[in-house]
Amino acid sequence: MATLGLSEAEREAVERLQRDVIEPSMTGLVLLDFWAERCGPCKQLSPLLDKIAGDYADKGVKLVKIDVDQDKLIASQFQIQSIPTVYAFYRGQPVADLSNYRTEGQLKRILDQLIAQLGVKGESADQQAEIEPLLAMGEGILAEGDAPRAVSVFQQIHEMAPSDPLVIGGLARALLAAGQREEARAALDAAPPETATHAEISRARAALELGEAAPEADTSDLESRIASNPDDFEARYELAGAKMAAGDRDAAADALLDLIARDPDWNEGAARKRLLQLIEAQGLEDPWARSQRRRLSALLFT
């Protein structure tokens, strides 16, 4: 937009448009809201746009408001006939007119479509790409059994992405493996509420609960009780817990499956619940976990 012959105020408006809309749109999606203080519908829409812009900020979405009574030149350049008018800008060009979308659901659906179609990448995508190799390194170190080093790696990643459920879950499991149970609980309790049902948070909580329930004791007495009375289900259940405490997940699963085969309803299905916890703690996509799920299904449904 040429600035020759413009007043100082108009030149400033043009510069603001370039700085606040055009330049950010080169890498993100800018919502341009044309409004005015005298406009009742504008006042109703404004808080909703503020909320959505906040929700989508890490996805590369930014909201800019243009007061048509203050920035008349800009409004005229865009040929604004009525307000509120909302345009989506990407790479310096308007890509969608969002003026007819007035509910949160409608606006979020169209934004999701635009982000996917245009390939908009926000800070969260950039950050995810940055931490993915670090997460893989941390998981590899943890799998090798070097829990203290894994804790150090996950703590560094946590400083970069403190709200990421993959990071929180990995850190909690590393802390558990290092024997720092209270620290693991604190890490999980500090997780954002919206991550509570994420698979990695659930996995870490399952591991925490298993660790708290598993007695660390000599199993010879339990094995003697089972030998003299195969239907001593309490002893079988405690033996599974002891095996878990010792890190012998195969023996723990075997003990629980044996108990389930004998009486699946014992103690309100306690053995099945504990086995599902053990499976979840390993990660639902873990080959061992999938194998144990198949064994459980074979017992229950054949």
Side-chain angles (χ1 to χ4, degrees), residues 151-204:
V151 168
S152 177
V153 171
F154 277 111
Q155 284 175 334
Q156 292 179 50
I157 307 172
H158 190 259
E159 292 178 1
M160 300 167 58
S163 300
D164 191 310
L166 296 173
V167 177
I168 298 168
L171 174 59
R173 287 185 290 105
L175 287 166
L176 281 172
Q180 301 178 53
R181 188 170 297 167
E182 290 308 313
E183 290 83 352
R185 180 188 299 280
L188 291 171
D189 289 345
E194 62 270 19
T195 66
T197 59
H198 191 281
E200 283 302 313
I201 299 296
S202 298
R203 177 186 179 186

Side-chain angles (χ1 to χ4, degrees), residues 65-80:
K65 299 185 180 186
I66 301 291
D67 186 333
V68 298
D69 290 336
Q70 299 295 323
D71 289 325
K72 294 180 180 180
L73 175 67
I74 304 302
S76 67
Q77 290 292 324
F78 282 93
Q79 300 180 350
I80 301 301

Side-chain angles (χ1 to χ4, degrees), residues 127-147:
Q127 184 181 74
Q128 195 63 36
E130 184 179 359
I131 68 174
E132 276 181 2
L134 300 176
L135 282 169
M137 181 175 68
E139 291 290 355
I141 294 170
L142 185 58
E144 292 169 359
D146 192 346

Side-chain angles (χ1 to χ4, degrees), residues 3-271:
T3 60
L4 186 64
L6 298 182
S7 68
E8 183 63 28
E10 289 173 334
R11 279 198 297 272
E12 289 179 359
V14 171
E15 290 172 0
R16 284 200 304 274
L17 181 69
Q18 178 68 28
R19 181 185 66 244
D20 297 341
V21 178
I22 305 303
E23 292 177 4
S25 77
M26 294 303 166
T27 55
L29 190 67
V30 177
L31 303 183
L32 192 54
D33 174 27
F34 291 92
W35 72 290
E37 186 65 33
R38 54 182 164 79
C39 170
C42 297
K43 293 179 181 178
Q44 294 178 341
L45 183 61
S46 182
L48 179 57
L49 291 174
D50 288 337
K51 179 181 184 302
I52 290 174
D55 292 344
Y56 279 71
D58 63 352
K59 296 181 180 181
V61 175
K62 175 186 177 183
L63 173 65
V64 177
K65 299 185 180 186
I66 301 291
D67 186 333
V68 298
D69 290 336
Q70 299 295 323
D71 289 325
K72 294 180 180 180
L73 175 67
I74 304 302
S76 67
Q77 290 292 324
F78 282 93
Q79 300 180 350
I80 301 301
Q81 301 297 318
S82 63
I83 51 176
T85 292
V86 183
Y87 290 141
F89 261 71
Y90 186 63
R91 297 195 182 280
Q93 299 293 327
V95 293
D97 184 347
L98 311 185
S99 304
N100 292 327
Y101 300 100
R102 297 297 178 87
T103 70
E104 182 173 354
Q106 290 173 340
L107 286 164
K108 286 189 172 181
R109 278 193 294 273
I110 189 63
L111 282 179
D112 288 339
Q113 291 173 12
L114 288 171
I115 290 169
Q117 291 170 2
L118 299 171
V120 178
K121 297 186 182 298
E123 292 181 7
S124 61
D126 293 339
Q127 184 181 74
Q128 195 63 36
E130 184 179 359
I131 68 174
E132 276 181 2
L134 300 176
L135 282 169
M137 181 175 68
E139 291 290 355
I141 294 170
L142 185 58
E144 292 169 359
D146 192 346
R149 185 173 168 224
V151 168
S152 177
V153 171
F154 277 111
Q155 284 175 334
Q156 292 179 50
I157 307 172
H158 190 259
E159 292 178 1
M160 300 167 58
S163 300
D164 191 310
L166 296 173
V167 177
I168 298 168
L171 174 59
R173 287 185 290 105
L175 287 166
L176 281 172
Q180 301 178 53
R181 188 170 297 167
E182 290 308 313
E183 290 83 352
R185 180 188 299 280
L188 291 171
D189 289 345
E194 62 270 19
T195 66
T197 59
H198 191 281
E200 283 302 313
I201 299 296
S202 298
R203 177 186 179 186
R205 285 204 178 279
L208 177 63
E209 291 171 10
L210 284 173
E212 292 175 340
E216 297 184 19
D218 177 36
T219 62
S220 57
D221 181 57
L222 294 172
E223 291 167 349
S224 296
R225 286 169 56 187
I226 294 169
S228 61
N229 179 13
D231 290 331
D232 187 340
F233 297 152
E234 187 66 40
R236 290 183 179 278
Y237 189 72
E238 290 181 14
L239 178 63
K243 295 299 183 182
M244 284 187 290
D248 190 346
R249 65 182 184 179
D250 290 328
D254 289 345
L256 291 168
L257 285 163
D258 194 3
L259 200 165
I260 294 168
R262 292 171 182 274
D263 187 352
D265 298 322
W266 174 78
N267 196 17
E268 300 181 343

